[in-house]
Amino acid sequence: MNSATPTFAMMSDNDKEQQLVNYLKGLIMDGVRQANSGHTGGAFSSVDFAYVLFQKHLRFDPEDSGWFNRDRFILSAGHESMLIYSLLHLQGYLDMEELKNFRQLGSKTPGHPEYGLTAGVEATTGPLGQGVGMAVGMALAAQIARSHLGEDIVDSYTYALCGDGDLQEPVALGTCQLAGHYGLNRLILFYDFNKIQISGQVDRNDSTDIAQMFRSFQWNVLEIDGNDHGAIDQAILHAQCSKEKPTIIIGHTTMAKGCATMEGSADTHGAPLPHEEIAATKRRLGIPEDASFYIPQEALNFFRRRFPLLREHRRSWEKAIQDRAKADHNFTPLLEQFTRSMVPPIDYPNLDEKMPTRKAFGKLLEAVADQYIAFAGGSADLEPSNNTTGFMQKVQDYSRDFHQGRSIPFGVREFPMGAIINGMQLYGIKSFGATFLVFSDYMRASLRLAALQNIGTMFIFTHDSVSLGEDGPTHQPIEHLPSLRLIPGLHVLRPADALETRYAFDHALHSQNPTVLALTRQDLEPVTSAYYHNGGSFSQGGYILRKENGELELVIIATGSEVKLALDSAAKIEETLGKGVRVVNMPCCELFDMQSADYRNDILPPCTTTVAIEAAATGGWYKYTGRQGLVIGIDQFGESAPADKLLQHFGFTQESVVDKIIKFLK
């Protein structure tokens, strides 16, 4: 900053706005340079939109980043993380020391924004496209909440910022198709169209007419100079007035806008600027060259001049809450469902009978439909197969004309469904999405992000084994159960019968961890009645279902549809060999592994021969059986045939299992 440059206090308000943007660029440059890692160019091209949004339009509580009726801002282009961290510093949510520790171990400023770690970060983003999907989910959840709680309680907007890479990921396009179909008019997406990717010019790989594509998706489309503050302001105001459609603001921007010599360069995308470029850019932007992470207090005060109005808006909202609570005694419990994730008492049906566990799930859904309003979800065009039809008929489909509907018609869009239900969960609605277990492959990235964010999304996967039958190997899951169990923090629940499905469902409903319910197509005989009627707990993950007769010599572990087979086989082995055989039902390995060592050793004595049975790939079970143990599973792809023929073919009959175990013991 030279002597001719006026001080911040001497500038006009318009000049102060621009200088604040310059200071943000300085923070971005310094953070990326100090970490020697990160993305500068995209953050520079996006900063004008983000600044105008945060300064003039975004509603938040300066003292409470988790206020329910806040506007949500999702940085889908998560590699631009120094942009949001710098803005969070202006909001007062993030200390300057955290900006200086960008991308360092233990900081609140990791390489990509992480929900639950940093105040003001609404979603964990970075894998491109998913932030757009979660934003759609948040906007959908807000519309549902608004329809049930009232427009005076929920009047927030959902904003998202994306780049070229986001819109090249099909998950983003699938969710945007749905956003237009649903008519999510309070969703505003800013597309930073700077035409540069890590590898160079976007036109090397893409010539899509984005504007025309989004018009076909039933979106409002606005095209502006994305570095012009006045145009940005007017575009946001225009988007806020939309009554029927979401809005995309296509901002034509310049990569690394404001750099001294590297404007428009792909070299600024995924790397820090050279030291000499930073010095020259600071001179150009009116920032002291010898000062790192520079922003004067008077500039912070200027940004925060809107804080009194924001606080007053929060107080008005609190008053509306109090007035509604006085007028309607049912309002507070309903509000707490949305704002505090309060699950009401559920009157579950009696499920102690023979049926497929997918059918039991359908009955549970219908029970919840009547009592838990902050609960929504749907199926990826498999309502009859996933048994979600009854729920759909009770609560009705969400549509652009009926926002109270809590059945979400996703169509054949498994990955978009996963991203959307994660967004709904982040907003405050307990959410589920259903499809076949084999198609969890399409959703794995969203499953991983749900676990990384530690949010309680429910993933319902039916047709959980080769017993689905004639559809054959393309539809028969083999490796899916063990592969899902590898995701840290994800609870994979495979109940043994209809009654246990109730307890698994209740665990999922209350869980802060994401859960998978793996459910059968075929009937299962009741096997857990005595355990649960005598006060047994699902929360332990694994338990003794059949005690050994006499001295314990063998433990058989099983899950889901194989538990009955394990019980029958254990009885036959005891009868044949006179050995004491215990059967352990393991509906959730993750919960079992969380128990004390004493409990686990009591259930699975370390020195006892152990066998595991599951109609899936075998690898994950050796941690319980030991390397010398026996695992009866399926380590090849399935076949097309009726279920009973397949079970016989793969050796899942009592005769085959008993024969294998006896040979193993001998």
Side-chain angles (χ1 to χ4, degrees), residues 18-58:
Q18 184 56 58
Q19 191 58 37
L20 254 171
V21 171
N22 293 347
Y23 289 146
L24 285 171
K25 290 179 178 179
L27 297 178
I28 292 165
M29 283 190 293
D30 290 339
V32 175
R33 180 70 268 174
Q34 182 152 304
N36 196 29
S37 174
H39 298 72
T40 305
F44 269 37
S45 64
S46 300
V47 68
D48 292 294
F49 169 78
Y51 174 78
V52 172
L53 174 65
F54 275 63
Q55 171 66 285
K56 296 187 176 182
H57 298 280
L58 195 74

Side-chain angles (χ1 to χ4, degrees), residues 61-290:
D61 184 337
E63 279 72 52
D64 180 7
S65 64
W67 174 45
F68 177 68
N69 196 37
R70 68 192 182 277
D71 290 339
R72 271 71 170 176
F73 171 75
I74 300 89
L75 180 67
S76 190
H79 53 280
E80 298 181 11
S81 55
M82 265 305 295
L83 169 60
I84 192 169
Y85 297 149
S86 299
L87 288 163
L88 293 177
H89 177 66
L90 296 190
Q91 287 180 294
Y93 292 155
L94 199 58
D95 293 339
M96 181 63 79
E97 287 304 309
E98 294 293 349
L99 270 62
K100 295 177 181 179
N101 287 326
F102 178 54
R103 291 193 167 211
Q104 303 308 301
L105 184 65
S107 77
K108 294 181 180 179
T109 50
H112 295 86
E114 294 184 26
Y115 170 78
L117 176 68
T118 311
V121 169
E122 301 286 0
T124 298
T125 57
L128 291 176
Q130 289 211 60
V132 173
M134 287 185 283
V136 171
M138 291 183 199
L140 175 59
Q143 292 283 60
I144 294 172
R146 180 180 171 90
S147 71
H148 288 279
L149 295 173
E151 296 182 5
D152 56 334
I153 306 302
V154 181
D155 63 352
S156 58
Y157 288 90
T158 303
Y159 301 92
L161 191 160
C162 72
D164 299 291
D166 287 290
L167 297 189
Q168 289 174 3
E169 289 286 0
V171 63
L173 303 185
T175 56
C176 288
Q177 284 179 320
L178 287 168
H181 178 73
Y182 298 153
L184 301 180
N185 64 297
R186 300 177 80 83
L187 170 64
I188 300 171
L189 175 64
F190 181 79
Y191 169 35
D192 177 20
F193 189 22
N194 60 42
K195 307 173 186 64
I196 295 291
Q197 295 179 274
I198 287 179
S199 298
Q201 294 285 338
V202 170
D203 60 14
R204 294 175 61 240
N205 59 63
D206 198 342
S207 54
T208 303
D209 185 336
I210 297 294
Q212 188 61 31
M213 181 173 67
F214 271 82
R215 289 189 184 100
S216 74
F217 289 170
Q218 303 177 74
W219 284 57
N220 292 320
V221 177
L222 306 175
E223 292 197 66
I224 63 170
D225 177 348
N227 298 126
D228 182 324
H229 288 198
I232 294 167
D233 184 35
Q234 289 303 306
I236 294 172
L237 290 171
H238 185 100
Q240 289 172 343
C241 293
S242 175
K243 300 299 183 183
E244 297 179 349
K245 298 178 180 180
T247 299
I248 181 171
I249 302 170
I250 301 175
H252 294 271
T253 62
T254 301
M255 173 65 82
K257 176 73 172 178
C259 277
T261 68
M262 297 180 70
E263 272 193 3
S265 171
D267 292 338
T268 67
H269 190 295
L273 299 180
H275 291 286
E276 60 274 14
E277 181 70 15
I278 291 176
T281 299
K282 285 185 176 181
R283 286 196 298 273
R284 181 181 183 184
L285 298 179
I287 302 172
E289 295 176 46
D290 57 351

Side-chain angles (χ1 to χ4, degrees), residues 548-568:
E548 62 277 8
N549 291 311
E551 184 178 352
L552 176 63
E553 298 188 56
L554 174 68
V555 175
I556 301 176
I557 310 171
T559 77
S561 51
E562 287 71 68
V563 172
K564 178 65 164 60
L565 176 59
L567 291 168
D568 293 343

